[in-house]
């Protein structure tokens, strides 16, 4: 594809665009505003219109770039995020967080529309167009509409080939990509599009968080997905697309047969991490006030740990944690939790075995059900209900091995599985520290979780009497 030949002169605000381009940043659309101060460095946000032509037709879409105000503060590292259908900068605002990105000296860029044509990046942009079609009501959440992944490819090419443009000062030394759920599907589609071509090196690191492999209507149980939608064998790991890191919730395997992504396990430059007990849409502080079921296993925190590990991988060559998968049940075994074959092995509490194990699951405080359609639907959209989960408190149910001894030594009493509150907090803290040491949790997230455990009533007197 022809590269955009353009120079953005930051000091004077002048755009110079040559006419020999199939895509361009529209000169008079640029706006800039302060974005914040992170690690004593001022950042500015540049927004505007990116337009041109792809094989599907003309396009005119919004873009956004956040970079240091002073070019001398630029590190040459950029995170590109595909807009999410429910909220465009979902990863930046609700999962990774501004402080984690920008305090690490990472710039940010995004372009276009949410999956399936939902314009969430900037609904105020006049007359948006995708694939030659005007986008009607661009601020509406939708699951069908014009979409064109070539726009992203052209935008990234423009950043790569004209590094001094739109506030991205200096050369781009490292370009990361992040997508969650359906926007992660978009990145997989781009990988499939460019693999084996001259564009294969579009990103240096791709972070794929809960990809659903383009399934718009989650269905339970898992087996009809395979049979009706033909998922099996559909994913072939792309080649020459840089390093790739997957973070998947257990609920993804239940709803989307995401074990197809295990094909990347063991491949150079690729990692996959499955979070035991986690729902596709967890109940976490970032999503407070939304109807997201009742499953607090926070794979968002795991994603933050993996994001930092990936950044160390790219900048310093420090290998991230090895791939970590859920244990597999024998073929044909009926899952005692869901009543159909899931392929997931379970412990005596009904929790998945293996995978990344958050503290409350690891120490048996509760049973975490990764997909429970009765527990509520994200944004009140009924067919998304299987994306949420639930949990069953096990605090007052002693583990089987302890029951006989408890009855023998203190007959007539009902005991929980923790001796007291301090015992619970101590076990919780040990597992949180283990996850930090393994690279799955950041120290700040571990401290937050430990504080929440310390403030809970688990193990306190008379809780289980």
């Amino acid at each position: 594809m022809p590269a955009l030949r353009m120079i953005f002169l930051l000091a004077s605000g002048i755009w110079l665009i040559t006419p020999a381009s199939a895509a361009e940043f529209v000169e008079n659309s640029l706006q800039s505003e302060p974005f914040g101060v992170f690690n004593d460095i001022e950042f500015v946000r540049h927004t505007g219109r990116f337009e041109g032509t792809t094989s599907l037709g003309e396009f005119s879409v919004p873009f956004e770039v956040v970079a240091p105000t002073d070019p001398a503060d630029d590190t040459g590292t950029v995170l590109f995020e595909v807009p999410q259908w429910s909220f465009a900068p979902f990863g930046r605002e609700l999962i990774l967080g501004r402080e984690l990105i920008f305090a690490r000296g990472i710039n940010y860029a995004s372009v276009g529309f949410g999956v399936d044509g939902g314009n969430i990046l900037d609904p105020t942009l006049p007359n948006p167009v995708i694939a030659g079609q005007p986008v009607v009501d661009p601020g509406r959440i939708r699951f069908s509409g014009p979409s064109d992944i070539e726009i992203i490819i052209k935008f990234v090419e423009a950043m790569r080939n004209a590094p001094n443009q739109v506030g991205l000062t200096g050369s781009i030394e490292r370009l990361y990509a992040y997508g969650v759920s359906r926007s992660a599907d978009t990145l997989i589609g781009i990988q499939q599009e460019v693999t084996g071509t001259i564009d294969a090196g579009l990103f240096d690191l791709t972070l794929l968080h809960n990809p659903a492999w383009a399934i718009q209507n989650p269905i339970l149980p898992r087996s009809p997905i395979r049979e009706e939608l033909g998922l099996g064998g559909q994913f072939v790991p792309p080649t020459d697309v840089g390093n790739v890191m997957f973070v998947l919730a257990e609920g993804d395997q239940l709803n989307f047969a995401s074990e197809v992504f295990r094909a990347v396990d063991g491949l150079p430059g690729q990692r996959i991490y499955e979070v035991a007990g986690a729902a596709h849409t967890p109940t976490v502080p970032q999503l407070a006030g939304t109807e997201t079921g009742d499953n607090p296993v926070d794979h968002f925190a795991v994603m933050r740990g993996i994001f930092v590990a990936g950044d160390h991988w790219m900048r310093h060559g420090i290998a991230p944690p090895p791939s970590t998968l859920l244990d597999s049940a024998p073929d044909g075994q009926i899952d005692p939790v869901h009543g159909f074959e899931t392929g997931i092995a379970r412990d005596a509490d009904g929790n998945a075995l293996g995978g990344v194990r958050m503290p409350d699951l690891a120490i048996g405080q509760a049973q975490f059900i990764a997909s429970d359609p009765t527990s509520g639907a994200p944004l009140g959209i009924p067919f998304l209900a299987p994306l949420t989960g639930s949990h069953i408190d096990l605090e007052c149910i002693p583990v089987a091995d302890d029951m006989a001894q408890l009855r023998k030594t203190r007959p007539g009493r009902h005991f929980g599985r923790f001796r007291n509150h301090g015992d619970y907090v101590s076990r919780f803290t040990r597992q949180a520290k283990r996850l930090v040491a393994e690279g799955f949790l950041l120290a700040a997230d571990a401290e937050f979780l430990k504080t929440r455990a310390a403030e809970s009533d688990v193990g306190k007197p008379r809780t289980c009497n």
Side-chain angles (χ1 to χ4, degrees):
M1 298 179 185
L4 173 65
R5 293 189 289 275
M6 179 192 70
I7 300 174
F8 174 53
L9 303 180
L10 183 64
S12 62
I14 298 174
W15 294 68
L16 300 178
I17 306 175
T18 65
S21 174
E24 64 184 31
F25 297 87
V26 178
E27 179 178 356
N28 61 8
S29 71
L30 179 67
Q31 297 184 39
S32 301
E33 61 183 0
F35 187 74
V37 178
F38 305 90
N39 199 21
D40 296 326
I41 295 175
E42 292 184 355
F43 281 77
V44 61
R45 170 163 42 199
H46 307 282
T47 58
R49 183 188 297 268
F50 183 62
E51 62 182 28
T53 305
T54 70
S55 62
L56 297 181
E58 295 180 353
F59 68 87
S60 181
V61 297
F63 75 88
E64 174 177 327
V65 171
V66 180
T69 303
D70 185 347
D73 292 324
D74 192 86
T75 66
T77 306
V78 181
L79 174 66
F80 175 84
E81 180 177 5
V82 177
Q84 228 277 346
W85 63 268
S86 61
F87 176 57
F90 198 95
R92 185 186 75 193
E93 300 295 325
L94 298 178
I95 298 179
L96 301 178
R98 294 185 180 188
E99 187 69 26
L100 183 62
I101 297 169
F102 299 111
R104 298 186 68 80
I106 299 175
N107 298 352
Y108 177 89
S110 189
V111 68
F113 293 71
V115 175
D116 303 319
N119 175 12
I120 340 260
L121 184 58
D122 181 6
T124 67
L125 184 82
N127 306 315
V129 175
I130 299 180
Q133 304 177 49
V135 179
V136 179
D137 191 9
R140 178 172 61 88
I141 292 176
R142 68 190 75 207
F143 294 95
S144 63
S147 190
D148 186 353
I149 64 173
E150 287 183 52
I151 296 172
I152 292 175
I153 295 173
K154 285 186 175 293
F155 181 81
V156 173
E157 285 181 330
M159 290 195 296
R160 284 284 199 185
N161 295 318
N164 289 317
Q165 66 196 358
V166 289
L168 291 173
T169 55
S171 298
I172 298 177
E173 299 177 22
R174 292 166 294 272
L175 183 58
Y176 309 157
Y178 174 83
V180 57
S181 190
R182 293 284 283 124
S183 60
D185 296 340
T186 300
L187 287 174
I188 290 176
I190 290 173
Q191 288 182 335
Q192 301 289 346
E193 183 79 13
V194 303
T195 187
T197 74
I198 60 173
D199 300 311
L202 206 61
F203 300 108
D204 300 299
L205 172 67
T206 301
L207 299 156
L208 298 168
H209 188 184
N210 280 7
W213 197 231
I215 299 173
Q216 296 184 23
N217 294 288
I219 302 170
L220 283 178
R222 185 186 68 164
S223 53
I225 292 180
R226 287 176 171 160
E227 296 168 5
E228 297 172 21
L229 302 177
L231 264 188
Q234 194 172 4
F235 174 74
V236 178
T239 58
D240 302 321
V241 292
N243 292 355
V244 181
M245 304 175 83
F246 288 82
V247 173
L248 300 170
E250 179 190 335
D252 298 325
Q253 187 160 328
L254 291 165
N255 288 303
F256 304 124
S258 64
E259 70 271 21
V260 296
F261 297 129
R262 291 180 174 180
V264 309
D265 184 28
L267 295 180
Q270 307 225 20
R271 298 287 193 278
I272 180 169
Y273 309 101
E274 296 179 339
V275 185
H280 183 88
T281 304
T283 306
V284 297
Q286 294 96 319
L287 300 179
T290 62
E291 190 177 4
T292 56
D294 184 27
N295 185 315
V297 178
D298 191 357
H299 58 78
F300 289 5
V302 175
M303 184 68 250
R304 290 190 287 274
I306 294 305
F307 174 73
V308 171
D311 188 34
H312 285 310
W313 196 12
M314 301 308 301
R315 294 204 212 197
H316 310 298
I318 301 172
S323 292
T324 307
L325 305 177
L326 298 175
D327 291 352
S328 297
D331 287 344
Q333 185 175 96
I334 300 301
D335 191 309
V337 174
H338 297 281
F340 56 88
E341 183 183 357
T342 64
I344 301 172
R346 301 202 176 276
D347 63 18
D349 291 330
N351 285 316
L353 287 167
V356 180
R357 306 180 71 75
M358 295 298 278
D360 270 336
L361 181 144
I363 65 176
Q365 187 273 330
Q367 177 189 359
F368 295 95
I369 300 171
S371 180
D372 180 359
T374 69
S375 67
L379 300 175
I381 301 173
F383 78 81
L384 297 182
L387 302 186
T388 63
S390 58
H391 77 284
I392 300 172
D393 195 327
L394 301 179
E395 174 193 356
C396 296
I397 303 176
V399 294
D401 293 343
D402 295 340
M403 182 66 78
Q405 184 63 29
L406 285 169
R407 286 176 174 168
K408 185 182 300 184
T409 58
R410 301 177 72 179
R413 294 286 302 279
H414 177 57
F415 297 93
R417 55 182 55 191
F418 305 107
R419 292 190 301 272
N420 49 47
H421 181 65
D423 177 43
Y424 164 70
V425 173
S426 177
R427 294 194 208 180
F428 188 104
T429 298
R430 284 197 298 272
Q431 180 62 14
K433 288 181 176 179
R434 184 176 295 115
L435 291 171
V436 172
E438 293 172 347
F440 293 117
L441 268 188
L442 301 179
D445 282 319
E447 286 302 317
F448 173 81
L449 292 173
K450 287 188 290 184
T451 298
R452 191 168 64 179
E455 293 174 348
S456 74
D457 292 329
V458 178
K460 289 186 176 179
R462 294 184 295 279
T463 300
C464 296
N465 290 335

